[in-house]
Amino acid sequence: MSIEAKKIEQDDALLALIKKMVETPGPSGQEQLIRAAILEEIQGSADEIRTDAMGNLIARKGSKQPNGLRIMISAHMDEIGLMVTHVDENGFSRFIPIGGVSPLTCIGGRVIFMNGQRGVIGCERLEPNALPTLEKLFIDVGTTSREDCPVKVGDVCGFERPFLDLGKHLVAKSMDNRISVVVAIAALRTLQASPHEVYFVFSVQEEVGLRGSATAAYGVDPDVGLAVDVTRTGDTPRTTKMEVALDKGPAIKVRDSSFIADPRVVDWMIATAKAADIPYQMEVLEAGGTDGRSIQLARAGVPAGCLSIPCRYIHTPSEMVSRADFEDAIRLLVELLSREVKLG
Amino acid sequence: MSSQKQPSMQLTPEIGAQQVELLARLCNAMAVSGDEQEVRQIVLDEIQPYCDQVEVDGLGNVLAMHVGSQAQKVRVMIAAHMDEVGFMLTNDEGEGVFSFETVGGIDPRQLVGKAVIVGREHVPAVIGAKPIHLTTAEERKKALKVEELRIDLGPEGSSKAKVGDRATFATQLEALEPSIRAKALDNRLGVINLIELLRHAPENIDLLAAFTVQEEVGLRGARVAAYRFDPQIGMAIDATPAHDLPAYDVDVENTRYNTKLDHGPAIYLMDGATISDRRLAEWLMQTAEAEGIPYQIRQPNPGGTDAGAIHRARAGVPSISVSVPVRYAHSAASLIRQEDWANTLKLVYHALTRLTPEILS
Ligand SMILES: [Zn+2]
Ligand SMILES: [Zn+2]
């Protein structure tokens, strides 16, 4: 096979992996399907795999050499979703959000429950010019009474929208954070000689408050931690100002509203990107949080940072990332984990 | 400390006159977040004979342990917060009049004209406001803010109170079959249920009982208690609002009731602080069905219980909450059904007796 043909085959495999990851439902607290899907992909590449009490999937690769560290990489595998609060006499289900869900992006959307049941989201009549609130919305699963409604209080659904390959850009309802899950899987598979003991954590319940990574970090007790997550961009018409743009490389987080990345970790990431000639951009995010915070605050404290994948339209059914950024993120993560780390 | 433990009572715990009397003492006591001494003392007196170990930790939590006699035990932490919402005196304005702030979630609209008690001596006082004779129609349309209200102890009370003292509603418990009306049913119901569970502790588990402080101001006591106990399973037993009055159901179906009275213990699947472990939810529902105990799923809603702190302790603890439905929670007088209380205790007790380590595999 020519190098060219090999590359195309690898690319197709990666795209298939992205499709599988973004289309598997897994709202916070209901990560069983996505966890199983990830496990399938990493079995054989890790030295040890376990699921902890909270449901975090934790894969170790390598063991700590004299010049190595114990490093925790955290990519949350949960996504936003909905939980049913009430089924009315006509079979319509009211719900509350799991994570940050905007009513504007719900109307007309389709959902899939964890048992495979599908439904659509409708809205009550609104006053003229009024914006919808989540209380005005309901899920219609195509039944006409409470008695024959297959959905009950407490049932959980995710949004349903197929993966879309636009060439340079890729779109899905759960690029946050499945694109980072794929980055972590690819790095785990690629990583060869490393002085470090690397724990790849596919964390749960990030979208409801960085919960899984907090307990995972306690369990792993790392020397250094990195979250891998998406970050918003400022490159769309009339949006809130922000430096980050698609296609300019993965972003190195300096701060978000949940934590300040350890400056030594930031320097390490910049130096590595420069040395390997990987494009990167600096990220200062005004609102938003990542697993970096919970790793940083674990036990007696951990130097922590975050590798971000720039993403447009976060928490909508059409989150968009750049294919080049995604590939560069994998390269950067592998570079970061392959060499000795000296935090200033 | 270790003590000469009495064998736990074999029979299923039940609610009788003795329990109602204890609940009255617990509800009438004052334990506004941060100063839980009065309830803590009652708890210590009640549980001492039934525990292998009892301690009061650095924050004031009562941590009691009953070690089961069987092999293959699960370490289960059950938390019931001792504290209640209330007030703290902030400024002495003379003549026994104090400005105050609320502690925990209280709707200021419910305060005007309420009788309260102040400090460890329970000095009687009132939250006063201008009487109807003197107010205008316009004034009566507006809700008064906390800054506009005062706690008035009268000149005779001024020497008995100081800035920093807590105050709470003066309501005394009334048992009105089939209901009970009292203040602080959130969460003295959890406290008394946990006392009863210690008295009837199943031998197939290690029961790690935490009577926690400062839940109402942010699950603070449970956080350190869970660190200390390092349990395998966590459960908060608490009280949760029931917003089920017929009035809310008149025109359109009431879709936001949280829970309903007379529908049994409320099992949580999600609140603002916790996503319940589904294995534990199944375990509780299966227990209820097997034992013929009515139960309801609490509508997934914001709000939180001690489970929110417990499940995040150390490397993580699968956790869940079960509450007694309570009308008018966090007010001067809340209302429950004795049946709901009894069934909540029954459900948790039977669930514990059925618990095996397999639940976590
Ligand atoms: Zn994310
Ligand atoms: Zn409570």
Side-chain angles (χ1 to χ4, degrees), chain B residues 167-282:
Chain B
T168 186
F169 300 110
T171 321
Q172 297 283 302
L173 179 139
E174 294 280 351
L176 328 138
E177 283 281 355
S179 307
I180 288 177
R181 191 207 67 188
K183 77 162 178 73
L185 284 165
D186 172 6
N187 183 32
R188 303 299 149 66
L189 286 165
V191 169
I192 193 168
N193 281 351
L194 190 49
I195 291 172
E196 291 298 325
L197 288 169
L198 277 169
R199 285 183 177 153
H200 300 81
E203 298 296 340
N204 58 313
I205 59 163
D206 285 345
L207 178 55
L208 313 171
F211 299 88
T212 61
V213 297
Q214 301 189 34
E215 191 267 358
E216 297 288 2
V217 291
L219 323 181
R220 297 181 194 162
R223 184 172 158 183
V224 298
Y227 183 91
R228 173 75 158 180
F229 273 146
D230 194 12
Q232 290 171 288
I233 289 177
M235 184 190 293
I237 53 177
D238 207 327
T240 192
H243 185 62
D244 59 339
L245 295 185
Y248 298 107
D249 244 333
V250 173
D251 293 332
V252 285
E253 189 174 333
N254 178 6
T255 60
R256 302 181 72 195
Y257 38 85
N258 193 52
T259 60
K260 294 175 178 171
L261 253 47
D262 298 315
H263 283 64
I267 297 172
Y268 288 55
L269 296 178
M270 181 170 85
D271 64 21
T274 317
I275 295 174
S276 300
D277 189 283
R278 287 281 168 152
R279 296 167 295 187
L280 302 184
E282 287 298 322

Side-chain angles (χ1 to χ4, degrees), chain A residues 215-289:
Chain A
T215 58
Y218 185 96
V220 170
D221 194 11
D223 300 315
V224 183
L226 271 189
V228 188
D229 207 333
V230 298
T231 189
R232 63 169 292 265
T233 65
D235 63 348
T236 51
R238 295 194 181 182
T239 188
T240 312
K241 249 189 168 359
M242 180 158 171
E243 272 290 303
V244 176
L246 250 52
D247 303 314
K248 291 189 174 169
I252 295 170
K253 190 186 290 284
V254 179
R255 76 169 286 267
D256 59 31
S257 51
S258 76
F259 87 125
I260 298 168
D262 192 298
R264 296 166 298 177
V265 173
V266 172
D267 290 345
W268 163 48
M269 294 171 78
I270 294 172
T272 306
K274 278 186 177 154
D277 206 16
I278 300 169
Y280 69 93
Q281 39 189 337
M282 302 309 294
E283 173 204 349
V284 176
L285 181 64
E286 295 198 9

